[in-house]
């Protein structure tokens, strides 16, 4: 198997792989599949993304034909698409693509994230088997149908969390008041930990170690989301990440 950067001439093969993957694994109405193939997988749009420096497009070849492909939006470190032709599944194509995407991340970034349609029953299992955890939910409208997407991300390691915390300031100023950042008071997050912010002996809120924003405290469900960068804590899903 060879994994290489996609070229504009690969657009037709990528579209064929996507179509067969949708048909084999997605519980979608045919009109939704047609809309996806005629929208983001139209040849001209594919060719444009392949040529875009902000997108990493890879194809995996087996026996001289495209067996799978993956697409990464570099700035957002998001896997937009990853499909393997049904005839080539079980041969390590998907695993090889994920490993190459991880190797293509920008300097200082070591984690991927990406959506998986709820209609793809196998997608979530694949993501979890390759070290991703479900961290959120979104919706996409296709052919007048509202489709649910589950957002997956690499689990942050303890060493990465330590690095984020170590780079955080000892204090921050909010509305003219200097507050202490407690680096030992951590709440796990999808992109970086949240650190406790103290006003005297009382917790004022949470400092997002990903972007430096002071977020509000947890809601009644124990969830935190940074309004600036989207870093999120979801209870019970991330609490074991640093053990």
């Amino acid at each position: 198997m060879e994994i290489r950067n996609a070229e504009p001439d690969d657009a037709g093969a990528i579209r064929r792989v996507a179509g067969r993957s949708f048909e084999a694994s997605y519980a979608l109405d045919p009109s939704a599949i047609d809309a996806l193939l005629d929208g983001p997988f139209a040849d001209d749009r594919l060719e444009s993304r392949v040529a875009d420096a902000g997108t990493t497009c890879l194809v995996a070849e087996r026996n001289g034909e495209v067996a799978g492909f993956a697409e990464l939006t570099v700035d957002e470190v998001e896997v937009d698409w990853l499909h393997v032709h049904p005839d080539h599944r079980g041969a390590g194509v998907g695993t090889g693509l994920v490993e190459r995407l991880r190797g293509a991340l920008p300097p200082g970034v070591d984690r991927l994230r990406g959506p998986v349609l709820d209609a793809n029953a196998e997608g979530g299992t694949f993501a979890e088997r390759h070290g991703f955890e479900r961290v959120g939910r979104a919706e996409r409208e296709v052919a007048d149908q509202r489709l649910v997407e589950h957002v997956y991300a690499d689990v942050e390691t303890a060493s990465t969390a330590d690095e984020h915390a170590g780079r955080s300031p000892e204090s921050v100023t909010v509305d003219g008041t200097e507050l202490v950042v407690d680096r030992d008071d951590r709440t796990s997050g999808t992109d970086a930990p949240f650190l406790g912010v103290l006003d005297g002996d009382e917790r004022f809120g949470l400092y997002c170690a990903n972007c430096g924003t002071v977020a509000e405290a947890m809601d009644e469900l124990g969830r935190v989301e940074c309004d600036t960068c989207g870093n999120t804590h979801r209870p019970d899903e991330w609490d074991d990440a640093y053990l």
Side-chain angles (χ1 to χ4, degrees):
M1 179 177 67
E2 178 191 2
I3 297 178
R4 59 173 175 79
N5 291 326
E7 300 175 355
D9 288 346
D10 293 315
I14 290 173
R15 177 186 168 92
R16 287 192 294 273
V17 170
R20 290 289 291 114
S21 179
F22 284 134
E23 293 169 357
S25 302
Y26 288 68
L28 292 173
D29 186 280
S31 63
I33 294 177
D34 289 342
L36 287 168
L37 294 177
D38 293 337
F41 288 100
D43 286 352
D44 58 341
R45 294 180 65 177
L46 275 171
E47 291 171 4
S48 175
R49 295 202 302 276
V50 167
D52 187 348
T55 302
T56 295
C57 290
L58 303 173
V59 294
E61 288 187 328
R62 294 186 73 228
N63 303 321
E65 66 178 21
V66 174
F69 70 92
E71 182 178 322
L72 172 74
T73 299
V74 177
D75 289 346
E76 298 176 6
V77 201
E78 180 158 303
V79 182
D80 297 304
W81 304 101
L82 193 157
H83 288 276
V84 177
H85 193 287
D87 293 347
H88 295 279
R89 293 177 182 175
V93 176
T95 298
L97 288 167
V98 169
E99 291 175 351
R100 280 289 298 272
L101 287 178
R102 284 182 170 137
L105 293 175
V109 178
D110 59 3
R111 299 192 303 133
L112 293 168
R113 61 185 291 133
V116 176
L117 282 174
D118 184 63
N120 179 7
E122 301 173 5
T125 300
F126 175 87
E128 291 168 0
R129 192 167 66 244
H130 288 80
F132 295 84
E133 293 227 8
R134 193 164 73 183
V135 300
R137 180 181 183 278
E139 292 186 351
R140 171 189 298 217
E141 188 165 322
V142 177
D144 296 326
Q145 301 175 50
R146 192 167 295 278
L147 306 179
V148 173
E149 293 180 325
H150 300 296
V151 181
Y152 284 80
D154 277 331
V155 177
E156 185 174 38
T157 64
S159 59
T160 305
D162 288 340
E163 291 174 8
H164 281 297
R167 292 196 298 266
S168 300
E170 295 182 354
S171 65
V172 292
T173 300
V174 177
D175 295 333
T177 301
E178 186 174 4
L179 307 171
V180 174
V181 177
D182 186 352
R183 296 175 180 173
D184 294 324
D185 177 9
R186 298 187 196 175
T187 298
S188 53
T190 53
D191 297 307
F194 291 95
L195 308 178
V197 175
L198 303 178
D199 184 1
D201 294 330
E202 299 293 327
R203 181 191 263 195
F204 175 88
L206 294 167
Y207 175 87
C208 174
N210 188 52
C211 71
T213 297
V214 176
E216 295 182 3
M218 295 181 183
D219 63 20
E220 63 275 9
L221 299 178
R223 184 175 184 274
V224 185
E225 181 172 359
C226 177
D227 291 335
T228 301
C229 69
N231 185 28
T232 304
H233 167 79
R234 298 178 66 85
D236 300 328
E237 290 186 353
W238 291 90
D239 289 340
D240 295 335
Y242 308 139
L243 298 181

